[in-house]
Amino acid sequence: MPARTHTRTHPATMGGVDTRLPWWALALPALAFVTLLALILNPSHAHATGADPATTQLLERVQELLTR
């Protein structure tokens, strides 16, 4: 015995989807990025031993550019 298919009595609306992000959905990733960047760029908290000189120079240049 075949199963009956249900037909829609009302046509589907073709309106756009209204998706809005809460404020913290953008603020938290931005805050995490800034915090990690500050940890990388702050030389007083750097405890690396034997870091690559090219990486160190690059980070120093970035820090100089950000402090101007």
Side-chain angles (χ1 to χ4, degrees):
M1 180 164 159
R4 294 184 190 176
T5 59
H6 298 286
T7 58
R8 292 185 183 182
T9 57
H10 301 289
T13 59
M14 300 304 265
V17 177
D18 186 25
T19 304
R20 295 186 56 167
L21 291 175
W23 64 269
W24 51 265
L26 295 175
L28 288 179
L31 179 65
F33 175 77
V34 169
T35 303
L36 290 173
L37 187 63
L39 286 173
I40 290 171
L41 294 178
N42 193 353
S44 66
H45 292 114
H47 299 292
T49 58
D52 185 22
T55 306
T56 305
Q57 290 175 357
L58 175 66
L59 291 176
E60 288 174 359
R61 299 278 187 219
V62 170
Q63 184 180 9
E64 288 174 11
L65 290 172
L66 291 176
T67 57
R68 289 186 182 176

Tab-separated table of all heavy atoms in Angstrom:
chain	number	residue	atom	x	y	z
A	1	MET	N	0.838	-1.160	0.000
A	1	MET	CA	0.000	0.000	0.000
A	1	MET	C	0.892	1.235	0.000
A	1	MET	O	1.711	1.389	0.910
A	1	MET	CB	-0.867	-0.050	1.245
A	1	MET	CG	-1.781	1.078	1.399
A	1	MET	SD	-2.956	0.497	2.620
A	1	MET	CE	-3.587	1.935	3.200
A	2	PRO	N	0.789	2.105	-1.004
A	2	PRO	CA	1.661	3.277	-1.072
A	2	PRO	C	1.307	4.317	-0.020
A	2	PRO	O	0.146	4.469	0.357
A	2	PRO	CB	1.418	3.812	-2.479
A	2	PRO	CG	0.096	3.278	-2.891
A	2	PRO	CD	-0.094	2.005	-2.159
A	3	ALA	N	2.343	4.999	0.455
A	3	ALA	CA	2.139	6.053	1.455
A	3	ALA	C	1.717	7.339	0.770
A	3	ALA	O	2.176	7.661	-0.316
A	3	ALA	CB	3.431	6.281	2.237
A	4	ARG	N	0.841	8.033	1.419
A	4	ARG	CA	0.376	9.297	0.863
A	4	ARG	C	1.394	10.395	1.144
A	4	ARG	O	2.016	10.426	2.195
A	4	ARG	CB	-0.952	9.704	1.480
A	4	ARG	CG	-2.061	8.775	1.136
A	4	ARG	CD	-3.339	9.316	1.700
A	4	ARG	NE	-4.396	8.321	1.573
A	4	ARG	CZ	-5.605	8.484	2.042
A	4	ARG	NH1	-5.901	9.593	2.675
A	4	ARG	NH2	-6.499	7.563	1.882
A	5	THR	N	1.521	11.297	0.203
A	5	THR	CA	2.394	12.456	0.417
A	5	THR	C	1.540	13.631	0.850
A	5	THR	O	0.408	13.805	0.375
A	5	THR	CB	3.152	12.813	-0.866
A	5	THR	OG1	2.213	13.096	-1.892
A	5	THR	CG2	4.081	11.699	-1.284
A	6	HIS	N	2.083	14.393	1.747
A	6	HIS	CA	1.359	15.554	2.262
A	6	HIS	C	1.643	16.760	1.375
A	6	HIS	O	2.795	17.064	1.087
A	6	HIS	CB	1.769	15.847	3.704
A	6	HIS	CG	1.437	14.734	4.638
A	6	HIS	ND1	0.150	14.472	5.052
A	6	HIS	CD2	2.221	13.808	5.228
A	6	HIS	CE1	0.155	13.439	5.865
A	6	HIS	NE2	1.412	13.010	5.996
A	7	THR	N	0.624	17.436	0.983
A	7	THR	CA	0.803	18.659	0.193
A	7	THR	C	0.634	19.862	1.107
A	7	THR	O	-0.136	19.830	2.072
A	7	THR	CB	-0.236	18.725	-0.941
A	7	THR	OG1	-1.545	18.682	-0.375
A	7	THR	CG2	-0.054	17.577	-1.924
A	8	ARG	N	1.351	20.906	0.805
A	8	ARG	CA	1.276	22.121	1.615
A	8	ARG	C	-0.013	22.870	1.286
A	8	ARG	O	-0.354	23.054	0.127
A	8	ARG	CB	2.469	23.038	1.329
A	8	ARG	CG	3.763	22.474	1.789
A	8	ARG	CD	4.853	23.484	1.573
A	8	ARG	NE	6.130	22.912	1.966
A	8	ARG	CZ	7.269	23.551	1.932
A	8	ARG	NH1	7.317	24.784	1.509
A	8	ARG	NH2	8.373	22.965	2.319
A	9	THR	N	-0.658	23.310	2.329
A	9	THR	CA	-1.868	24.089	2.111
A	9	THR	C	-1.532	25.558	1.904
A	9	THR	O	-2.268	26.279	1.259
A	9	THR	CB	-2.832	23.941	3.307
A	9	THR	OG1	-2.158	24.343	4.486
A	9	THR	CG2	-3.306	22.493	3.420
A	10	HIS	N	-0.407	26.005	2.475
A	10	HIS	CA	0.037	27.389	2.319
A	10	HIS	C	1.364	27.386	1.571
A	10	HIS	O	2.268	26.609	1.919
A	10	HIS	CB	0.228	28.069	3.677
A	10	HIS	CG	-1.031	28.093	4.493
A	10	HIS	ND1	-2.097	28.875	4.182
A	10	HIS	CD2	-1.381	27.408	5.614
A	10	HIS	CE1	-3.052	28.689	5.077
A	10	HIS	NE2	-2.637	27.793	5.960
A	11	PRO	N	1.535	28.272	0.592
A	11	PRO	CA	2.822	28.308	-0.112
A	11	PRO	C	3.931	28.821	0.804
A	11	PRO	O	3.688	29.620	1.714
A	11	PRO	CB	2.567	29.263	-1.280
A	11	PRO	CG	1.404	30.097	-0.855
A	11	PRO	CD	0.575	29.240	0.063
A	12	ALA	N	5.125	28.336	0.582
A	12	ALA	CA	6.277	28.756	1.389
A	12	ALA	C	6.603	30.215	1.092
A	12	ALA	O	6.502	30.677	-0.043
A	12	ALA	CB	7.478	27.883	1.075
A	13	THR	N	6.981	30.935	2.118
A	13	THR	CA	7.345	32.341	1.924
A	13	THR	C	8.745	32.406	1.340
A	13	THR	O	9.629	31.621	1.695
A	13	THR	CB	7.301	33.106	3.255
A	13	THR	OG1	8.203	32.492	4.163
A	13	THR	CG2	5.894	33.116	3.833
A	14	MET	N	8.968	33.333	0.469
A	14	MET	CA	10.261	33.477	-0.196
A	14	MET	C	11.046	34.645	0.361
A	14	MET	O	11.880	35.215	-0.312
A	14	MET	CB	10.052	33.668	-1.705
A	14	MET	CG	9.335	32.487	-2.344
A	14	MET	SD	10.176	30.955	-2.054
A	14	MET	CE	11.122	30.841	-3.527
A	15	GLY	N	10.764	35.054	1.573
A	15	GLY	CA	11.453	36.188	2.183
A	15	GLY	C	12.886	35.837	2.537
A	15	GLY	O	13.279	34.672	2.621
A	16	GLY	N	13.698	36.858	2.718
A	16	GLY	CA	15.095	36.647	3.079
A	16	GLY	C	15.245	36.222	4.524
A	16	GLY	O	14.362	36.413	5.360
A	17	VAL	N	16.344	35.645	4.827
A	17	VAL	CA	16.633	35.201	6.177
A	17	VAL	C	17.234	36.366	6.941
A	17	VAL	O	18.174	37.010	6.484
A	17	VAL	CB	17.608	34.004	6.159
A	17	VAL	CG1	17.962	33.586	7.563
A	17	VAL	CG2	17.008	32.851	5.390
A	18	ASP	N	16.673	36.654	8.097
A	18	ASP	CA	17.162	37.757	8.914
A	18	ASP	C	18.018	37.182	10.033
A	18	ASP	O	17.522	36.795	11.078
A	18	ASP	CB	15.995	38.553	9.479
A	18	ASP	CG	16.443	39.797	10.224
A	18	ASP	OD1	17.539	40.292	9.911
A	18	ASP	OD2	15.707	40.265	11.105
A	19	THR	N	19.320	37.074	9.785
A	19	THR	CA	20.246	36.532	10.763
A	19	THR	C	21.085	37.664	11.329
A	19	THR	O	21.752	38.381	10.583
A	19	THR	CB	21.172	35.490	10.120
A	19	THR	OG1	20.373	34.493	9.510
A	19	THR	CG2	22.071	34.851	11.149
A	20	ARG	N	21.045	37.801	12.632
A	20	ARG	CA	21.828	38.838	13.290
A	20	ARG	C	22.678	38.197	14.378
A	20	ARG	O	22.211	37.339	15.126
A	20	ARG	CB	20.918	39.885	13.911
A	20	ARG	CG	20.125	40.648	12.852
A	20	ARG	CD	19.354	41.740	13.468
A	20	ARG	NE	20.281	42.594	14.201
A	20	ARG	CZ	19.969	43.783	14.651
A	20	ARG	NH1	18.780	44.275	14.464
A	20	ARG	NH2	20.850	44.502	15.314
A	21	LEU	N	23.924	38.622	14.444
A	21	LEU	CA	24.816	38.108	15.471
A	21	LEU	C	24.713	38.982	16.714
A	21	LEU	O	24.581	40.194	16.613
A	21	LEU	CB	26.265	38.143	14.977
A	21	LEU	CG	26.626	37.165	13.868
A	21	LEU	CD1	28.054	37.429	13.411
A	21	LEU	CD2	26.489	35.750	14.336
A	22	PRO	N	24.803	38.389	17.884
A	22	PRO	CA	24.870	39.209	19.090
A	22	PRO	C	26.218	39.920	19.150
A	22	PRO	O	27.179	39.540	18.484
A	22	PRO	CB	24.719	38.198	20.227
A	22	PRO	CG	24.993	36.875	19.627
A	22	PRO	CD	24.756	36.967	18.165
A	23	TRP	N	26.308	40.966	19.965
A	23	TRP	CA	27.515	41.792	20.011
A	23	TRP	C	28.728	40.971	20.449
A	23	TRP	O	29.840	41.184	19.987
A	23	TRP	CB	27.315	42.988	20.942
A	23	TRP	CG	27.100	42.588	22.377
A	23	TRP	CD1	25.922	42.350	22.989
A	23	TRP	CD2	28.116	42.359	23.360
A	23	TRP	NE1	26.123	41.981	24.280
A	23	TRP	CE2	27.467	41.988	24.550
A	23	TRP	CE3	29.517	42.429	23.356
A	23	TRP	CZ2	28.162	41.697	25.708
A	23	TRP	CZ3	30.204	42.138	24.516
A	23	TRP	CH2	29.524	41.780	25.674
A	24	TRP	N	28.519	40.014	21.330
A	24	TRP	CA	29.665	39.259	21.847
A	24	TRP	C	30.200	38.249	20.847
A	24	TRP	O	31.318	37.761	20.981
A	24	TRP	CB	29.301	38.564	23.165
A	24	TRP	CG	28.045	37.765	23.106
A	24	TRP	CD1	26.801	38.163	23.473
A	24	TRP	CD2	27.903	36.423	22.632
A	24	TRP	NE1	25.894	37.154	23.266
A	24	TRP	CE2	26.540	36.077	22.750
A	24	TRP	CE3	28.792	35.492	22.123
A	24	TRP	CZ2	26.059	34.830	22.370
A	24	TRP	CZ3	28.310	34.258	21.751
A	24	TRP	CH2	26.964	33.938	21.878
A	25	ALA	N	29.440	37.928	19.818
A	25	ALA	CA	29.918	36.987	18.803
A	25	ALA	C	31.040	37.590	17.969
A	25	ALA	O	31.847	36.873	17.388
A	25	ALA	CB	28.770	36.554	17.903
A	26	LEU	N	31.109	38.898	17.895
A	26	LEU	CA	32.206	39.573	17.213
A	26	LEU	C	33.253	40.081	18.196
A	26	LEU	O	34.439	40.122	17.891
A	26	LEU	CB	31.665	40.743	16.382
A	26	LEU	CG	30.752	40.340	15.232
A	26	LEU	CD1	30.178	41.569	14.572
A	26	LEU	CD2	31.502	39.507	14.225
A	27	ALA	N	32.810	40.482	19.395
A	27	ALA	CA	33.730	41.068	20.365
A	27	ALA	C	34.685	40.035	20.966
A	27	ALA	O	35.872	40.322	21.154
A	27	ALA	CB	32.946	41.764	21.485
A	28	LEU	N	34.203	38.845	21.260
A	28	LEU	CA	35.063	37.848	21.904
A	28	LEU	C	36.209	37.360	21.017
A	28	LEU	O	37.353	37.285	21.485
A	28	LEU	CB	34.229	36.669	22.407
A	28	LEU	CG	33.353	36.977	23.627
A	28	LEU	CD1	32.559	35.739	24.023
A	28	LEU	CD2	34.171	37.470	24.782
A	29	PRO	N	35.979	37.028	19.748
A	29	PRO	CA	37.120	36.658	18.911
A	29	PRO	C	38.109	37.810	18.717
A	29	PRO	O	39.310	37.590	18.688
A	29	PRO	CB	36.492	36.246	17.582
A	29	PRO	CG	35.095	35.873	17.914
A	29	PRO	CD	34.706	36.746	19.048
A	30	ALA	N	37.593	39.036	18.608
A	30	ALA	CA	38.486	40.186	18.462
A	30	ALA	C	39.316	40.377	19.735
A	30	ALA	O	40.521	40.650	19.664
A	30	ALA	CB	37.681	41.445	18.152
A	31	LEU	N	38.692	40.225	20.888
A	31	LEU	CA	39.411	40.349	22.154
A	31	LEU	C	40.462	39.248	22.299
A	31	LEU	O	41.592	39.504	22.748
A	31	LEU	CB	38.429	40.292	23.318
A	31	LEU	CG	39.027	40.385	24.704
A	31	LEU	CD1	39.676	41.751	24.912
A	31	LEU	CD2	37.961	40.137	25.748
A	32	ALA	N	40.129	38.033	21.902
A	32	ALA	CA	41.093	36.934	21.972
A	32	ALA	C	42.275	37.193	21.042
A	32	ALA	O	43.433	36.954	21.417
A	32	ALA	CB	40.422	35.619	21.615
A	33	PHE	N	42.009	37.702	19.848
A	33	PHE	CA	43.086	37.996	18.911
A	33	PHE	C	44.007	39.077	19.460
A	33	PHE	O	45.235	38.938	19.418
A	33	PHE	CB	42.504	38.443	17.565
A	33	PHE	CG	43.554	38.875	16.583
A	33	PHE	CD1	44.315	37.937	15.920
A	33	PHE	CD2	43.784	40.218	16.336
A	33	PHE	CE1	45.294	38.327	15.016
A	33	PHE	CE2	44.746	40.617	15.437
A	33	PHE	CZ	45.508	39.665	14.781
A	34	VAL	N	43.445	40.149	19.996
A	34	VAL	CA	44.258	41.237	20.541
A	34	VAL	C	45.057	40.758	21.748
A	34	VAL	O	46.235	41.102	21.904
A	34	VAL	CB	43.362	42.440	20.910
A	34	VAL	CG1	44.108	43.480	21.708
A	34	VAL	CG2	42.775	43.052	19.643
A	35	THR	N	44.460	39.937	22.579
A	35	THR	CA	45.169	39.416	23.756
A	35	THR	C	46.341	38.537	23.339
A	35	THR	O	47.456	38.679	23.875
A	35	THR	CB	44.197	38.606	24.640
A	35	THR	OG1	43.106	39.442	25.007
A	35	THR	CG2	44.890	38.096	25.883
A	36	LEU	N	46.133	37.643	22.394
A	36	LEU	CA	47.230	36.784	21.938
A	36	LEU	C	48.321	37.595	21.239
A	36	LEU	O	49.512	37.321	21.412
A	36	LEU	CB	46.702	35.696	21.012
A	36	LEU	CG	45.849	34.628	21.686
A	36	LEU	CD1	45.241	33.706	20.652
A	36	LEU	CD2	46.667	33.853	22.700
A	37	LEU	N	47.914	38.600	20.475
A	37	LEU	CA	48.903	39.453	19.827
A	37	LEU	C	49.724	40.222	20.858
A	37	LEU	O	50.946	40.341	20.721
A	37	LEU	CB	48.205	40.427	18.871
A	37	LEU	CG	49.103	41.281	17.997
A	37	LEU	CD1	49.925	40.408	17.061
A	37	LEU	CD2	48.279	42.278	17.211
A	38	ALA	N	49.083	40.711	21.900
A	38	ALA	CA	49.808	41.425	22.956
A	38	ALA	C	50.781	40.493	23.684
A	38	ALA	O	51.883	40.905	24.046
A	38	ALA	CB	48.819	42.032	23.945
A	39	LEU	N	50.383	39.251	23.898
A	39	LEU	CA	51.285	38.299	24.553
A	39	LEU	C	52.500	37.993	23.687
A	39	LEU	O	53.601	37.801	24.194
A	39	LEU	CB	50.541	37.003	24.878
A	39	LEU	CG	49.568	37.066	26.038
A	39	LEU	CD1	48.786	35.758	26.137
A	39	LEU	CD2	50.279	37.356	27.333
A	40	ILE	N	52.294	37.946	22.385
A	40	ILE	CA	53.406	37.663	21.482
A	40	ILE	C	54.358	38.856	21.405
A	40	ILE	O	55.581	38.695	21.381
A	40	ILE	CB	52.876	37.305	20.076
A	40	ILE	CG1	52.199	35.949	20.115
A	40	ILE	CG2	53.996	37.301	19.050
A	40	ILE	CD1	51.463	35.610	18.826
A	41	LEU	N	53.801	40.058	21.374
A	41	LEU	CA	54.614	41.243	21.141
A	41	LEU	C	55.263	41.813	22.400
A	41	LEU	O	56.154	42.643	22.293
A	41	LEU	CB	53.770	42.325	20.469
A	41	LEU	CG	53.289	41.979	19.060
A	41	LEU	CD1	52.436	43.112	18.522
A	41	LEU	CD2	54.450	41.711	18.141
A	42	ASN	N	54.830	41.413	23.565
A	42	ASN	CA	55.382	41.972	24.799
A	42	ASN	C	56.691	41.254	25.142
A	42	ASN	O	56.683	40.116	25.591
A	42	ASN	CB	54.371	41.826	25.933
A	42	ASN	CG	54.755	42.650	27.136
A	42	ASN	OD1	55.831	43.238	27.180
A	42	ASN	ND2	53.878	42.693	28.107
A	43	PRO	N	57.824	41.920	24.968
A	43	PRO	CA	59.105	41.237	25.197
A	43	PRO	C	59.386	40.937	26.671
A	43	PRO	O	60.196	40.078	26.974
A	43	PRO	CB	60.136	42.203	24.626
A	43	PRO	CG	59.480	43.531	24.664
A	43	PRO	CD	58.014	43.285	24.500
A	44	SER	N	58.740	41.619	27.599
A	44	SER	CA	59.004	41.350	29.014
A	44	SER	C	58.450	39.996	29.445
A	44	SER	O	58.927	39.411	30.412
A	44	SER	CB	58.413	42.449	29.890
A	44	SER	OG	57.001	42.436	29.796
A	45	HIS	N	57.475	39.484	28.732
A	45	HIS	CA	56.918	38.181	29.066
A	45	HIS	C	57.456	37.064	28.188
A	45	HIS	O	57.011	35.925	28.292
A	45	HIS	CB	55.389	38.217	28.949
A	45	HIS	CG	54.749	39.060	29.987
A	45	HIS	ND1	54.076	40.205	29.679
A	45	HIS	CD2	54.700	38.953	31.328
A	45	HIS	CE1	53.628	40.756	30.780
A	45	HIS	NE2	53.998	40.006	31.804
A	46	ALA	N	58.395	37.371	27.352
A	46	ALA	CA	58.955	36.353	26.458
A	46	ALA	C	60.011	35.551	27.211
A	46	ALA	O	60.985	36.095	27.696
A	46	ALA	CB	59.563	37.008	25.237
A	47	HIS	N	59.813	34.267	27.300
A	47	HIS	CA	60.752	33.396	28.008
A	47	HIS	C	61.309	32.316	27.090
A	47	HIS	O	61.723	31.259	27.547
A	47	HIS	CB	60.067	32.741	29.210
A	47	HIS	CG	59.568	33.713	30.212
A	47	HIS	ND1	60.388	34.481	30.987
A	47	HIS	CD2	58.310	34.073	30.543
A	47	HIS	CE1	59.667	35.255	31.773
A	47	HIS	NE2	58.389	35.030	31.518
A	48	ALA	N	61.293	32.576	25.815
A	48	ALA	CA	61.778	31.582	24.861
A	48	ALA	C	63.300	31.520	24.910
A	48	ALA	O	63.985	32.522	25.030
A	48	ALA	CB	61.323	31.936	23.459
A	49	THR	N	63.821	30.323	24.798
A	49	THR	CA	65.266	30.148	24.759
A	49	THR	C	65.657	29.708	23.371
A	49	THR	O	65.103	28.750	22.824
A	49	THR	CB	65.714	29.090	25.780
A	49	THR	OG1	65.059	27.871	25.495
A	49	THR	CG2	65.401	29.524	27.190
A	50	GLY	N	66.572	30.413	22.787
A	50	GLY	CA	67.059	30.049	21.470
A	50	GLY	C	66.050	30.285	20.354
A	50	GLY	O	65.894	29.439	19.491
A	51	ALA	N	65.369	31.409	20.386
A	51	ALA	CA	64.391	31.712	19.339
A	51	ALA	C	65.106	32.021	18.031
A	51	ALA	O	66.257	32.449	18.011
A	51	ALA	CB	63.532	32.897	19.753
A	52	ASP	N	64.427	31.801	16.944
A	52	ASP	CA	64.959	32.080	15.625
A	52	ASP	C	65.172	33.590	15.475
A	52	ASP	O	64.255	34.371	15.737
A	52	ASP	CB	63.975	31.575	14.569
A	52	ASP	CG	64.510	31.720	13.164
A	52	ASP	OD1	65.743	31.800	13.007
A	52	ASP	OD2	63.693	31.751	12.231
A	53	PRO	N	66.373	34.043	15.084
A	53	PRO	CA	66.625	35.486	14.977
A	53	PRO	C	65.711	36.182	13.969
A	53	PRO	O	65.325	37.323	14.175
A	53	PRO	CB	68.076	35.571	14.527
A	53	PRO	CG	68.666	34.239	14.726
A	53	PRO	CD	67.555	33.262	14.805
A	54	ALA	N	65.328	35.511	12.906
A	54	ALA	CA	64.451	36.136	11.919
A	54	ALA	C	63.066	36.395	12.516
A	54	ALA	O	62.467	37.447	12.290
A	54	ALA	CB	64.352	35.253	10.684
A	55	THR	N	62.569	35.452	13.292
A	55	THR	CA	61.268	35.631	13.928
A	55	THR	C	61.323	36.751	14.948
A	55	THR	O	60.411	37.574	15.033
A	55	THR	CB	60.825	34.324	14.609
A	55	THR	OG1	60.868	33.266	13.663
A	55	THR	CG2	59.441	34.446	15.192
A	56	THR	N	62.395	36.801	15.713
A	56	THR	CA	62.556	37.853	16.700
A	56	THR	C	62.611	39.219	16.033
A	56	THR	O	61.965	40.166	16.490
A	56	THR	CB	63.837	37.617	17.529
A	56	THR	OG1	63.783	36.304	18.087
A	56	THR	CG2	63.969	38.639	18.631
A	57	GLN	N	63.348	39.341	14.963
A	57	GLN	CA	63.440	40.612	14.253
A	57	GLN	C	62.092	41.012	13.663
A	57	GLN	O	61.716	42.181	13.699
A	57	GLN	CB	64.494	40.535	13.155
A	57	GLN	CG	65.915	40.460	13.689
A	57	GLN	CD	66.936	40.268	12.572
A	57	GLN	OE1	66.572	40.136	11.417
A	57	GLN	NE2	68.210	40.244	12.937
A	58	LEU	N	61.367	40.052	13.124
A	58	LEU	CA	60.059	40.342	12.552
A	58	LEU	C	59.107	40.857	13.625
A	58	LEU	O	58.416	41.862	13.431
A	58	LEU	CB	59.475	39.097	11.887
A	58	LEU	CG	58.046	39.232	11.359
A	58	LEU	CD1	58.003	40.227	10.203
A	58	LEU	CD2	57.507	37.890	10.938
A	59	LEU	N	59.091	40.210	14.766
A	59	LEU	CA	58.213	40.641	15.844
A	59	LEU	C	58.616	42.015	16.378
A	59	LEU	O	57.759	42.822	16.744
A	59	LEU	CB	58.199	39.611	16.971
A	59	LEU	CG	57.513	38.292	16.627
A	59	LEU	CD1	57.645	37.307	17.775
A	59	LEU	CD2	56.074	38.502	16.263
A	60	GLU	N	59.920	42.297	16.436
A	60	GLU	CA	60.369	43.621	16.867
A	60	GLU	C	59.924	44.695	15.891
A	60	GLU	O	59.500	45.780	16.301
A	60	GLU	CB	61.894	43.632	17.019
A	60	GLU	CG	62.388	42.868	18.223
A	60	GLU	CD	63.916	42.772	18.263
A	60	GLU	OE1	64.575	43.280	17.333
A	60	GLU	OE2	64.422	42.195	19.236
A	61	ARG	N	59.973	44.413	14.612
A	61	ARG	CA	59.531	45.381	13.587
A	61	ARG	C	58.041	45.639	13.706
A	61	ARG	O	57.578	46.773	13.620
A	61	ARG	CB	59.844	44.889	12.196
A	61	ARG	CG	61.307	44.672	11.940
A	61	ARG	CD	61.983	45.976	11.600
A	61	ARG	NE	63.371	45.660	11.198
A	61	ARG	CZ	64.384	46.387	11.533
A	61	ARG	NH1	64.220	47.482	12.193
A	61	ARG	NH2	65.593	46.035	11.169
A	62	VAL	N	57.264	44.562	13.907
A	62	VAL	CA	55.827	44.724	14.059
A	62	VAL	C	55.503	45.541	15.299
A	62	VAL	O	54.637	46.428	15.284
A	62	VAL	CB	55.122	43.341	14.120
A	62	VAL	CG1	53.670	43.452	14.505
A	62	VAL	CG2	55.272	42.632	12.783
A	63	GLN	N	56.226	45.286	16.400
A	63	GLN	CA	56.011	46.040	17.617
A	63	GLN	C	56.354	47.520	17.413
A	63	GLN	O	55.635	48.399	17.897
A	63	GLN	CB	56.841	45.465	18.756
A	63	GLN	CG	56.593	46.154	20.075
A	63	GLN	CD	57.418	45.564	21.198
A	63	GLN	OE1	58.294	44.751	20.943
A	63	GLN	NE2	57.121	45.951	22.417
A	64	GLU	N	57.431	47.809	16.710
A	64	GLU	CA	57.791	49.196	16.429
A	64	GLU	C	56.719	49.896	15.615
A	64	GLU	O	56.390	51.057	15.865
A	64	GLU	CB	59.129	49.252	15.676
A	64	GLU	CG	60.339	48.908	16.515
A	64	GLU	CD	61.610	48.850	15.674
A	64	GLU	OE1	61.589	49.277	14.506
A	64	GLU	OE2	62.628	48.362	16.200
A	65	LEU	N	56.160	49.182	14.626
A	65	LEU	CA	55.110	49.777	13.807
A	65	LEU	C	53.831	50.051	14.596
A	65	LEU	O	53.147	51.040	14.370
A	65	LEU	CB	54.816	48.891	12.605
A	65	LEU	CG	55.897	48.811	11.536
A	65	LEU	CD1	55.541	47.752	10.504
A	65	LEU	CD2	56.073	50.159	10.870
A	66	LEU	N	53.531	49.159	15.527
A	66	LEU	CA	52.303	49.326	16.317
A	66	LEU	C	52.430	50.406	17.377
A	66	LEU	O	51.440	51.017	17.750
A	66	LEU	CB	51.928	48.008	16.967
A	66	LEU	CG	51.457	46.906	16.014
A	66	LEU	CD1	51.204	45.617	16.788
A	66	LEU	CD2	50.194	47.348	15.292
A	67	THR	N	53.638	50.664	17.851
A	67	THR	CA	53.807	51.676	18.897
A	67	THR	C	53.946	53.072	18.355
A	67	THR	O	53.910	54.033	19.118
A	67	THR	CB	55.026	51.342	19.778
A	67	THR	OG1	56.190	51.240	18.950
A	67	THR	CG2	54.816	50.048	20.538
A	68	ARG	N	54.059	53.232	17.042
A	68	ARG	CA	54.162	54.576	16.467
A	68	ARG	C	52.860	55.264	16.440
A	68	ARG	O	51.821	54.857	16.377
A	68	ARG	CB	54.721	54.509	15.055
A	68	ARG	CG	56.161	54.145	15.052
A	68	ARG	CD	56.698	54.221	13.662
A	68	ARG	NE	58.095	53.805	13.663
A	68	ARG	CZ	58.812	53.687	12.594
A	68	ARG	NH1	58.315	53.975	11.430
A	68	ARG	NH2	60.046	53.314	12.665
